[in-house]
Amino acid sequence: MISVLIVDDQALQRFGFRMLLDATPDTEVVGEAAHGGEAVRRTAELRPDVVLMDIRMPGMDGIEATRRIVAGGGRSRVLVLTTFDLDEYAHAALRAGASGFLLKDAHPEELLAGIRAVARGDAVVAPALTRRLLDAYAHHLPAASGGAPDDPRWAALTEREREILVAIGQGRTNGEIASRLVLSESTVKTHVGRVLAKIGARDRIQAVIIAYDLGLTRANDPGGSRAE
């Protein structure tokens, strides 16, 4: 059973999510919150598996709430809901530590699949789609300071792991990385796990953001916007 905290300032929106999740055998709504501050408190109290987080709310928004929840070090993972094309803060939510995001007009089965993915520790958004989001807002991202060679996260990686991180930052899937580096997918998966651990990334989405921070990839990089 996956426990979920619903965070949205719209009561009708919360009601709709609750109806869907209560009707699903493997999900359970343990609480609701109408703004970010309440979300942080309720997450600490209830320790849900997944926090379904709206971004734009009065008072503390979903970005700051996500940052505080992640900084708290608990097991709860945040799934952000965004309008994507209109929400220029989506990338900031990922940088704050969200495990992924979905569109607010996603089909019910997509939302449920996303919640399940986040609950088991996966990133909801495919690497290529994550890359397209970051490309859309690349002008908002601060330039990397110092560059990869001076960053301890980069220094901690082996040569092969550096190749893997660059490929992750380009939005490549494990299959594409395996083909490019002439490795088996299982070997790539092992390398990806080690890279995430060494650079302190909770999931693949955070690894993409770190790759940007380190200056390892650029917007409009060929091959970085392939579909899954």
Side-chain angles (χ1 to χ4, degrees):
M1 184 70 71
I2 301 169
S3 56
V4 181
L5 174 68
I6 300 172
V7 184
D8 199 294
D9 64 325
Q10 304 270 338
L12 188 59
Q13 187 84 71
R14 296 197 306 273
F15 178 74
F17 289 142
R18 177 179 279 276
M19 291 222 17
L20 172 64
L21 296 174
D22 282 346
T24 303
D26 62 340
T27 58
E28 173 189 20
V29 177
V30 294
E32 298 181 12
H35 55 79
E38 187 179 9
V40 175
R41 290 193 299 273
R42 297 287 278 165
T43 298
E45 294 169 3
L46 301 170
R47 302 182 64 221
D49 297 314
V50 178
V51 179
L52 198 58
M53 181 76 75
D54 187 21
I55 289 184
R56 291 177 174 171
M57 296 179 289
M60 184 188 298
D61 63 17
I63 295 171
E64 180 60 25
T66 296
R67 185 177 296 112
R68 295 191 186 191
I69 288 170
V70 173
R75 66 185 183 88
S76 300
R77 297 172 68 86
V78 180
L79 172 57
V80 168
L81 293 177
T82 175
T83 54
F84 181 65
D85 288 331
L86 301 177
D87 196 340
E88 64 183 12
Y89 301 112
H91 81 273
L94 296 178
R95 295 175 71 88
S99 294
F101 68 90
L102 290 174
L103 305 186
K104 274 206 169 182
D105 61 357
H107 294 291
E109 60 271 19
E110 294 174 328
L111 175 60
L112 293 172
I115 290 172
R116 292 178 185 122
V118 166
R120 65 173 178 263
D122 294 335
V124 172
V125 186
L129 184 53
T130 303
R131 177 57 195 268
R132 287 198 293 273
L133 172 70
L134 291 173
D135 282 349
Y137 299 112
H139 60 286
H140 289 287
L141 295 172
S145 58
D150 299 323
D151 193 288
R153 292 171 296 186
W154 178 254
L157 301 178
T158 66
E159 190 62 35
R160 177 62 80 189
E161 289 165 351
R162 291 175 180 179
E163 292 178 321
I164 296 290
L165 178 56
V166 170
I168 291 173
Q170 292 171 341
R172 299 184 185 277
T173 65
N174 283 357
E176 290 172 334
I177 297 174
S179 176
R180 183 183 180 89
L181 300 181
V182 195
L183 299 169
S184 69
E185 284 198 46
S186 61
T187 298
V188 170
K189 185 176 180 180
T190 298
H191 281 308
V192 169
R194 289 173 179 165
V195 168
L196 297 186
K198 286 186 177 182
I199 66 177
R202 296 186 72 191
D203 51 42
R204 200 177 187 115
I205 291 176
Q206 293 300 301
V208 173
I209 294 171
I210 289 172
Y212 267 83
D213 287 340
L214 296 179
L216 303 179
T217 186
R218 306 183 310 276
N220 303 319
D221 187 330
S225 57
R226 302 180 189 180
E228 283 287 285

